[in-house]
Amino acid sequence: MAPEVYNERKQEAYSMMKRSVRQMEGTPIEGDGINGVTMKLLVGREDQAPTFAMRHFAIEAGGYTPNHQHPWEHEVLILEGEGELECDGEVLPIAKGDGLLIPSNDLHQFRNTSDKRLEFLCIVPVESDCGEAVPGS
Amino acid sequence: MAPEVYNERKQEAYSMMKRSVRQMEGTPIEGDGINGVTMKLLVGREDQAPTFAMRHFAIEAGGYTPNHQHPWEHEVLILEGEGELECDGEVLPIAKGDGLLIPSNDLHQFRNTSDKRLEFLCIVPVESDCGEAVPGS
């Protein structure tokens, strides 16, 4: 009997890949409650990433991501600049070198309270807690 | 009937967390074929990370990670410095801002060929293709 497939995506063929933040153009992220945010999808579902997707975000001075929640977690590394994260009602300062875990379903927002660009890497699972494809992954 | 649990780890309670590269001490990674490598576990299994773990690596000038393979993928962002990655027989230059996908089971090695420190973020799933806990996650 064939072994049970643990993760179907892990059975797909895919290749080593390199894509650079330096050479990519950011996609503006627009919508209610969003200001000055662009995204670069470094590795995602379309690259056959089996488990998680790696996205680079930039927030201009004074900008912010939406104050929202969803059934998947974030892990984040702040790459440049500083600002604040509000998560589940708590506000904390963030700066280059900070690693963050933002739990599934916690209401959260990143805000650039500085006068310089804030950049961070935000990793999401390619599937939500409910097994659905994660938007932006 | 209760819905099927998609991912048992996603049912565990966990909280928002911040941990900074600036304040952590690196753990030396030692073994055959490893030179000048330290790791900082920013978010891992013990933090109840449900899907993936985020680790910061530094390789001193002339250092290298082991030339090895394993049944789980890496996604990597080069944070500082430059060097080269050998993956499945191919050698490519790497520098700050490069994002990489290294497939499961591909033989791979990071080498710092420069005279400055090479730093990168390396994300791994918390479970391998076979459903086993990933070491260092």
Side-chain angles (χ1 to χ4, degrees), chain A residues 9-28:
Chain A
R9 291 185 65 83
K10 297 210 177 202
Q11 309 307 311
E12 293 178 23
Y14 60 107
S15 299
M16 192 268 288
M17 197 194 68
K18 180 172 93 163
R19 196 176 281 149
S20 179
V21 169
R22 297 186 309 279
Q23 291 158 356
M24 297 173 74
E25 193 155 346
T27 302

Side-chain angles (χ1 to χ4, degrees), chain A:
Chain A
M1 202 174 82
E4 186 181 356
V5 173
Y6 167 69
N7 176 340
E8 282 187 12
R9 291 185 65 83
K10 297 210 177 202
Q11 309 307 311
E12 293 178 23
Y14 60 107
S15 299
M16 192 268 288
M17 197 194 68
K18 180 172 93 163
R19 196 176 281 149
S20 179
V21 169
R22 297 186 309 279
Q23 291 158 356
M24 297 173 74
E25 193 155 346
T27 302
I29 306 297
E30 291 168 346
D32 285 348
I34 306 174
N35 185 25
V37 179
T38 53
M39 185 181 93
K40 298 175 182 180
L41 180 58
L42 282 163
V43 181
R45 293 179 69 86
E46 292 193 357
D47 305 306
Q48 277 73 51
T51 319
F52 47 88
M54 192 168 68
R55 301 101 47 88
H56 175 280
F57 284 86
I59 308 182
E60 300 306 321
Y64 40 83
T65 61
N67 191 19
H68 70 164
Q69 62 195 142
H70 40 63
W72 58 86
E73 78 276 19
H74 287 317
E75 292 180 26
V76 169
L77 180 69
I78 308 299
L79 300 171
E80 294 293 341
E82 53 194 80
E84 60 188 26
L85 167 67
E86 182 165 348
C87 182
D88 195 25
E90 185 183 348
V91 178
L92 74 167
I94 51 175
K96 181 175 177 172
D98 287 343
L100 302 158
L101 171 62
I102 299 175
S104 289
N105 299 310
D106 272 11
L107 192 64
H108 60 279
Q109 181 178 44
F110 288 90
R111 298 190 284 258
N112 184 351
T113 52
S114 80
D115 59 2
K116 290 182 182 160
R117 179 178 277 201
L118 173 65
E119 294 182 34
F120 58 90
L121 196 72
C122 178
I123 305 120
V124 291
V126 293
E127 292 186 345
S128 75
D129 293 7
C130 319
E132 304 292 330
V134 167
S137 75

Side-chain angles (χ1 to χ4, degrees), chain A residues 97, chain B residues 19-26 39-43 56:
Chain B
R19 195 175 282 149
S20 180
V21 170
R22 299 185 308 279
Q23 291 157 357
M24 297 173 74
E25 192 155 345
M39 184 182 92
K40 298 175 182 180
L41 181 57
L42 282 163
V43 180
H56 175 279

